[in-house]
Amino acid sequence: MTKNIYLDYAATTPVDDSVQEEMAPFFSEKFGNPSSVHSFGQEALFAIDKARVRVANFLGAREREVIFTSSATQGNNLALQGVLEKEENPHVITSPIEHKAVLEPLKNSKAEVDYLPVYRNGVVKAEDVLEKVKDETVLVSVMYANSEIGTIQPIEEIGKKIKEINKKRKRKIVFHTDAVQAVNYLPCDVNRLGVDLLVMSGHKIYGPKGAGALFVREGITLSPVFYGASQERKINPGTENVPAIVGLGKAIEEIKKNNPKKTKELRDMMITGIEERIEGSFLNGDRERRLPNNVNMSFEGVEGESLVIALDREGIASSTGSACASHSLSPSYVLLALGLSHEMAHGSLRLTLGRGVTQGDVNYLLEKLPPVVERLREISGRGSKK
Ligand code: PLP
């Protein structure tokens, strides 16, 4: 019997029932504009404040340091452009495996952008940041966990190094992290991490699409990207998306529903199961320093795109990399940055787990994947010798 298994939780997650429940009244009876003085407006404002407290508590931040956005892409743009716009000859240090929501705003800014080495395991080194710092450096942006290969970056260590450097400098370096993929599984206390700007997204954490948050440390001023009224401290003006913000707040509170230990067990079962069953399969990204829910493998002689389509026919939803890049037929820029050949970077499959995934699902994948790979290899004239 064909099943219907979702293994693409890094692309997006379903909205948790409790989140939907809390959001629902804000579409209908509690529809006020939070800027209105009457009780309808105050009810909406109260709901936003409650969500802000929840996000601030999760981050160990102050309420006024939390800005609601419509997505992580918007949050990253507000943060990066907001820092760079006001600087003269800015220099930025980042990694080549950031999400496009970071790489593109940097590429389209006036800054000189320097990229850290990511090595074969897809992890940057804090000391490499030190090497690259120069007088003009105003910003370091390194993602907390990678969306394609799940590698976890040494954010706390980088944060400490930047703090040390800043003690000796007049021109302070701002530290930004895109924590979108990390929020489900990793501690996100901004003071422990030593970050000044942090971005998250609602739809990756069982919250709604159209909701995100940007942490802006007290004392950091961002040049405006949008102009309008004074919502969200003028950093993100415009009438707030109240149901989405309420949903994000509830989703953050429900993060405890994730089970990193069980997810990790299923992940490892998947990785070793694939390695044992399929010759010429390789894990991409560090085996240890990776998110509990990420499996990313390359297969010799197989195109990732054909693999995703073939698996979909078997009732398994997977991806080749980040959902935003999935319509591009070029090899993964993340895997190329790790030093993989074009062929292997084309042959990658990303399987990401979440709350709904069971041992039965893993077994089903391990049953279906080997013959699919074998068939595709035969089609491409690369059948195994087994
Ligand atoms: N940053 C990372 C690491 C992501 O994985 C994603 C989504 O795939 C984004 C940013 C963009 O998030 P959003 O869809 O909320 O704009």
Side-chain angles (χ1 to χ4, degrees):
M1 198 182 71
T2 307
K3 296 199 182 195
N4 200 10
I5 296 174
Y6 186 75
L7 292 175
D8 201 13
Y9 283 84
T12 199
T13 55
V15 179
D16 189 76
D17 287 347
S18 67
V19 171
Q20 281 191 54
E21 218 171 278
E22 203 155 314
M23 288 171 71
F26 292 92
F27 288 104
S28 46
E29 72 260 34
K30 300 183 181 182
F31 61 88
N33 183 328
S35 298
S36 300
V37 174
H38 49 64
S39 57
F40 285 85
Q42 292 313 294
E43 190 174 40
L45 183 63
F46 181 75
I48 291 183
D49 286 345
K50 186 171 161 191
R52 205 183 304 280
V53 171
R54 284 170 162 172
V55 175
N57 286 346
F58 176 74
L59 295 174
R62 284 176 274 233
E63 287 151 46
R64 58 174 278 103
E65 293 175 316
V66 174
I67 304 297
F68 288 116
T69 63
S70 64
S71 64
T73 302
Q74 195 196 38
N76 281 328
N77 272 271
L78 291 172
L80 302 170
Q81 292 186 46
V83 169
L84 295 174
E85 201 40 48
K86 59 182 191 303
E87 297 286 347
E88 249 174 67
N89 304 320
H91 171 252
V92 181
I93 301 167
T94 189
S95 88
I97 62 170
E98 299 296 308
H99 192 273
K100 290 279 181 192
V102 165
L103 291 177
E104 289 299 310
L106 292 180
K107 213 162 85 188
N108 287 287
S109 75
K110 61 182 176 185
E112 182 201 344
V113 186
D114 234 337
Y115 299 92
L116 296 163
V118 288
Y119 307 95
R120 190 66 182 208
N121 68 350
V123 181
V124 305
K125 290 185 181 155
E127 52 272 27
D128 288 337
V129 176
L130 275 185
E131 289 268 302
K132 293 212 175 275
V133 168
K134 51 185 192 176
D135 289 347
E136 294 78 17
T137 309
V138 292
L139 179 67
V140 171
S141 176
V142 177
M143 71 201 316
Y144 197 171
N146 188 270
S147 37
E148 280 190 37
I149 53 173
T151 47
I152 299 168
Q153 304 298 352
I155 297 302
E156 199 177 326
E157 215 183 313
I158 298 173
K160 278 191 187 131
K161 294 250 187 300
I162 293 176
K163 208 169 181 181
E164 282 305 305
I165 302 169
N166 276 343
K167 277 186 195 155
K168 301 177 216 138
R169 284 166 64 104
K170 226 172 122 213
R171 199 175 189 181
K172 303 288 182 218
I173 299 171
V174 174
F175 185 24
H176 163 263
T177 192
D178 175 340
V180 167
Q181 296 290 342
V183 170
N184 270 320
Y185 299 108
L186 305 178
C188 286
D189 185 298
V190 287
N191 296 315
R192 204 172 132 195
L193 293 175
V195 294
D196 301 306
L197 299 163
L198 178 145
V199 166
M200 66 168 79
S201 177
H203 73 100
K204 310 283 187 179
I205 57 168
Y206 305 86
K209 295 173 181 63
L214 162 65
F215 159 76
V216 183
R217 187 176 290 286
E218 191 98 65
I220 305 278
T221 47
L222 298 177
S223 296
V225 174
F226 302 126
Y227 294 88
S230 56
Q231 293 96 341
E232 298 304 300
R233 288 175 44 211
K234 290 192 167 180
I235 294 171
N236 188 22
T239 302
E240 300 87 340
N241 184 349
V242 182
I245 292 171
V246 167
L248 176 66
K250 183 64 178 166
I252 280 289
E253 204 184 61
E254 298 298 319
I255 285 289
K256 56 183 181 286
K257 283 188 181 159
N258 292 319
N259 187 340
K261 192 166 168 275
K262 179 186 153 222
T263 311
K264 197 165 172 240
E265 274 168 25
L266 294 177
R267 175 200 77 182
D268 291 342
M269 212 176 281
M270 215 181 246
I271 294 173
T272 46
I274 293 173
E275 285 172 334
E276 280 165 17
R277 286 168 178 77
I278 306 176
E279 223 179 87
S281 59
F282 303 92
L283 180 70
N284 293 315
D286 199 272
R287 205 170 276 266
E288 304 302 324
R289 284 193 71 98
R290 75 187 299 129
L291 287 173
N293 74 329
N294 178 290
V295 176
N296 186 309
M297 321 252 336
S298 284
F299 301 90
E300 276 172 359
V302 180
E303 279 230 340
E305 205 71 20
S306 341
L307 204 47
V308 169
I309 294 166
L311 282 178
D312 196 42
R313 290 211 185 100
E314 301 288 353
I316 300 167
S318 63
S319 78
T320 50
S322 130
C324 324
S326 62
H327 295 293
S328 137
L329 287 176
S330 32
S332 152
Y333 67 89
V334 171
L335 297 180
L336 289 179
L338 264 60
L340 266 72
S341 65
H342 269 67
E343 192 207 337
M344 290 304 271
H346 251 307
S348 71
L349 175 70
R350 182 184 73 175
L351 302 159
T352 45
L353 294 83
R355 287 179 199 166
V357 179
T358 63
Q359 162 111 47
D361 296 338
V362 176
N363 294 343
Y364 184 75
L365 172 92
L366 293 176
E367 177 199 325
K368 295 292 173 187
L369 184 61
V372 163
V373 170
E374 183 68 31
R375 202 171 64 239
L376 292 174
R377 280 178 175 164
E378 269 159 22
I379 294 169
S380 69
R382 298 279 306 264
S384 92
K385 292 143 222 108
K386 269 202 284 190

